[in-house]
Amino acid sequence: EDKVVQSPLSLVVHEGDTVTLNCSYEVTNFRSLLWYKQEKKAPTFLFMLTSSGIEKKSGRLSSILDKKELFSILNITATQTGDSAIYLCAVTGGTSYGKLTFGQGTILTVHP
Amino acid sequence: NAGVTQTPKFRVLKTGQSMTLLCAQDMNHEYMYWYRQDPGMGLRLIHYSVGEGTTAKGEVPDGYNVSRLKKQNFLLGLESAAPSQTSVYFCASRQGGSNQPQHFGDGTRLSIL
């Protein structure tokens, strides 16, 4: 059975801090790992990672995958209050229909 | 710029009542999915569809049925609602082919009393 574990489950920081969110996984025939940001409503897509060691970057957010050690990290630098959200990690495995297995999520709270 | 639209946004039901949640996407996506999100458990797949007229079970299908009569719509039905089905339900869709991300609707918050 595919499994995704995120840590920490919650995190409180102040604006300007840098945070690192962790995601470890077990999946049969790994295809991709995805990060989503969920504020009040729909999870919104951040990154898709398929290859080890290649950093994906978007503004202050970046992510990298280690397929040997089966984990990924999401970094947010110079955090802002607008970064407060639940960050979800998910993986797709050997099936063709793109089933996502999600972790529990990390609740990030950024105080002014 | 609608993307994935879910209706209704909120609903309160009594135990034993039935209802249907509607998901509509305007991106011509082949694949559609229904998830439920419960505190501390992430999102779990209920049912999915790989194209018009097809449906299949996910990891938590019991108590739910689905239909995909039109490519753009994916319906989730609860025949006899139970308190354990109190949850937030999300619909998602994606293009066919490898390594395409799923795009989510805003969710339906369902309470069963």
Side-chain angles (χ1 to χ4, degrees):
Chain A
E1 183 179 324
D2 299 344
K3 187 177 178 182
V4 177
V5 177
Q6 293 185 242
S7 64
L9 294 182
S10 66
L11 190 56
V12 179
V13 300
H14 290 280
E15 275 191 318
D17 289 348
T18 293
V19 299
T20 298
L21 309 183
N22 303 295
C23 176
S24 63
Y25 63 89
E26 297 173 20
V27 62
T28 304
N29 296 329
F30 173 88
R31 287 184 178 227
S32 61
L33 184 145
L34 295 86
W35 285 98
Y36 285 85
K37 177 182 181 182
Q38 185 179 22
E39 295 177 87
K40 295 198 181 299
K41 295 184 178 179
T44 53
F45 172 70
L46 294 175
F47 300 113
M48 176 182 281
L49 302 150
T50 57
S51 301
S52 277
I54 299 176
E55 185 183 53
K56 292 282 183 90
K57 195 170 173 65
S58 176
R60 297 175 294 101
L61 277 67
S62 64
S63 183
I64 198 161
L65 175 67
D66 186 327
K67 290 170 73 173
K68 183 179 177 183
E69 300 297 330
L70 307 182
F71 78 90
S72 174
I73 59 172
L74 176 68
N75 280 320
I76 309 175
T77 59
T79 52
Q80 303 171 355
T81 55
D83 296 325
S84 295
I86 302 172
Y87 289 85
L88 298 166
C89 175
V91 295
T92 62
T95 62
S96 61
Y97 60 88
K99 168 186 178 290
L100 286 175
T101 298
F102 283 87
Q104 320 95 299
T106 293
I107 303 171
L108 175 64
T109 304
V110 182
H111 289 308
Chain B
N1 208 21
V4 180
T5 303
Q6 292 184 231
T7 53
K9 295 188 183 341
F10 306 97
R11 186 74 183 266
V12 178
L13 291 178
K14 294 181 179 178
T15 297
Q17 286 185 317
S18 63
M19 80 160 295
T20 300
L21 308 185
L22 172 62
C23 176
Q25 53 94 4
D26 61 1
M27 298 173 283
N28 202 34
H29 285 171
E30 290 294 330
Y31 295 78
M32 296 187 74
Y33 310 83
W34 276 106
Y35 293 89
R36 60 178 288 173
Q37 186 175 33
D38 302 294
M41 299 187 73
L43 281 81
R44 293 179 292 167
L45 183 65
I46 304 171
H47 286 281
Y48 65 96
S49 169
V50 300
E52 181 178 318
T54 73
T55 64
K57 294 180 180 180
E59 59 183 304
V60 288
D62 293 343
Y64 305 95
N65 56 74
V66 288
S67 64
R68 183 116 181 254
L69 298 179
K70 294 183 179 180
K71 185 177 183 179
Q72 64 267 34
N73 295 336
F74 195 28
L75 280 63
L76 177 71
L78 286 72
E79 291 184 345
S80 178
S84 61
Q85 294 178 302
T86 293
S87 188
V88 181
Y89 292 85
F90 285 98
C91 176
S93 70
R94 74 172 183 96
Q95 289 182 334
S98 298
N99 296 332
Q100 296 291 331
Q102 292 182 22
H103 300 273
F104 286 82
D106 283 345
T108 295
R109 185 173 294 276
L110 187 61
S111 293
I112 317 294
L113 304 179

